[in-house]
Amino acid sequence: MGVMTDVLDVTGVHHRYGATTALAGVDLRLAPGECVALLGPNSAGKTPVVGLATGLLAVQAGDVRVCGGDPRRAATRRHLGIVQQSMGFPPTETVGELLRGAAVRAGRPAAAASPAMAEAGVSQLRSRRVRKLSGGQQQRVALAMALVGDPDLLLLDEPTVGLDIAARRDFWRAIAARRDAGAAIVLTTHIVEEAAAVADRVVVLHRGRVVAADTPAGLTARLSDRTIAARTTLDDVALRALPGVLSVTRDGTRVRVATVEPERVLRDWLARDHELTDLRVEGAGLEQALFALTGEDPGTAGGNADPDTHTDLGTAKLEVPA
């Protein structure tokens, strides 16, 4: 991979679907070896950003460059590797045929298919027809196809859907190796904890605008909220009556209390329940930060209800989340 200042450069981009504004002046830049997670509620603008970066959407206003080139040009798209939730592979081809064809289209020798399959852990599937693959196997084949062209920019759109825990760890190990080799990575995911674990930066989109851009720790540090988790004999009514309590939720036998005054709440709680056990005080998480920034359910972050969900994408350090 060549040395460059920005692998992806999105500047002042506006995009509309009829009367609907999908993007309103979005800027986004990625350097080599950087992983950025695009998060936000439904219709935030994540899908059009990725569509513009792949060249499958035309730029209406602003500028988008991948490795300095126009992503709508075939030569520029060779810098890209794409993994999305559903790739729509030809069902009658074998995995080996699929990967050899992808290598040639990316300007690589057909023999490049073998190391890409090994890297994605699908070498044993090379003779299997695509229609016989499970959902998790298809996702690993999609990773092999994304890697076979030795891309400078990896676009990962809900990439671990259908993968079990072991396969997900293997997936992120492969991505980590590519990032360490200099590839830039854009990730969209509804698994907010996964984004927090792997992203160097999180860019939060809301109603087509960037409302925050920071490290995961930087975003959560903006919140003063703390969560106290414990097992208690007090009921929810008694807990909500404690001065300083913002909310109370139950998770099985454990209760979680949100507060901006953890010391005060703990003193009062311990005074009322001498049998309080399994106590833990935690800072705000990335989901809470997203909710505070957008005012919408963080469970929708990374969802695919953007107005352009018809668009098919086609074909701190990065760590492996548990």
Side-chain angles (χ1 to χ4, degrees), residues 83-154:
V83 180
Q84 67 177 109
Q85 185 172 344
S86 177
M87 295 293 288
F89 299 132
T92 59
E93 288 193 11
T94 66
V95 170
E97 290 168 343
L98 199 65
L99 265 294
R100 288 191 292 273
V104 171
R105 288 192 298 275
R108 302 288 307 280
S114 290
M117 284 188 284
E119 193 174 356
V122 294
S123 296
Q124 75 280 10
L125 301 175
R126 67 174 66 240
S127 299
R128 187 169 300 183
R129 302 280 177 193
V130 171
R131 64 170 176 265
K132 295 185 178 180
L133 298 176
S134 67
Q137 289 170 336
Q138 288 189 34
Q139 284 301 95
R140 286 186 285 152
V141 170
L143 174 60
M145 290 189 67
L147 299 179
V148 74
D150 194 22
D152 293 287
L153 175 62
L154 280 164

Side-chain angles (χ1 to χ4, degrees), residues 6-308:
D6 291 317
V7 177
L8 176 64
D9 188 345
V10 177
T11 304
V13 168
H14 294 254
H15 199 81
R16 296 178 64 87
Y17 296 95
T20 302
T21 298
L23 298 175
V26 168
D27 296 320
L28 175 65
R29 291 175 178 82
L30 269 78
E34 185 178 22
C35 178
V36 170
L38 297 181
L39 299 181
N42 291 337
S43 302
K46 303 176 298 295
T47 302
V49 169
V50 176
L52 289 164
T54 59
L56 293 176
L57 289 179
V59 177
Q60 296 175 351
D63 190 43
V64 178
R65 296 283 158 178
V66 173
C67 298
D70 181 351
R72 291 182 68 81
R73 294 177 61 87
T76 302
R77 288 199 296 273
R78 288 184 175 181
H79 292 282
L80 296 173
I82 303 166
V83 180
Q84 67 177 109
Q85 185 172 344
S86 177
M87 295 293 288
F89 299 132
T92 59
E93 288 193 11
T94 66
V95 170
E97 290 168 343
L98 199 65
L99 265 294
R100 288 191 292 273
V104 171
R105 288 192 298 275
R108 302 288 307 280
S114 290
M117 284 188 284
E119 193 174 356
V122 294
S123 296
Q124 75 280 10
L125 301 175
R126 67 174 66 240
S127 299
R128 187 169 300 183
R129 302 280 177 193
V130 171
R131 64 170 176 265
K132 295 185 178 180
L133 298 176
S134 67
Q137 289 170 336
Q138 288 189 34
Q139 284 301 95
R140 286 186 285 152
V141 170
L143 174 60
M145 290 189 67
L147 299 179
V148 74
D150 194 22
D152 293 287
L153 175 62
L154 280 164
L155 293 158
L156 312 178
D157 187 35
E158 301 288 351
T160 59
V161 171
L163 299 183
D164 60 26
I165 292 175
R168 197 164 69 238
R169 288 183 64 87
D170 290 342
F171 177 94
W172 286 117
R173 285 194 186 98
I175 296 299
R178 287 291 177 145
R179 196 224 70 156
D180 291 344
I185 298 156
V186 174
L187 166 68
T188 72
T189 178
H190 72 283
I191 307 173
V192 178
E193 297 85 355
E194 192 168 72
V198 305
D200 300 303
R201 280 192 295 135
V202 174
V203 173
V204 182
L205 292 165
H206 185 49
R207 297 179 181 175
R209 299 181 184 274
V210 174
V211 295
D214 205 338
T215 65
L219 288 178
T220 58
R222 302 182 186 194
L223 301 184
S224 58
D225 297 26
R226 294 293 181 269
T227 299
I228 306 171
R231 301 184 193 281
T232 181
T233 60
L234 299 185
D235 61 22
D236 290 1
V237 173
L239 289 169
R240 290 192 180 95
L242 296 177
V245 169
L246 299 176
S247 66
V248 177
T249 56
R250 292 273 176 178
D251 182 11
T253 60
R254 289 175 61 82
V255 64
R256 298 174 66 85
V257 172
T259 178
V260 294
E261 302 176 87
E263 296 83 1
R264 179 184 182 185
V265 170
L266 276 173
R267 283 195 300 269
D268 290 342
W269 195 349
L270 287 165
R272 289 165 173 75
D273 184 4
H274 298 291
E275 298 181 23
L276 189 67
T277 60
D278 200 9
L279 180 65
R280 181 181 302 173
V281 180
E282 305 166 342
L286 187 55
E287 283 197 4
Q288 290 94 329
L290 290 173
F291 183 79
L293 287 164
T294 66
E296 298 190 36
D297 183 357
T300 67
N304 283 328
D306 289 309
D308 57 317

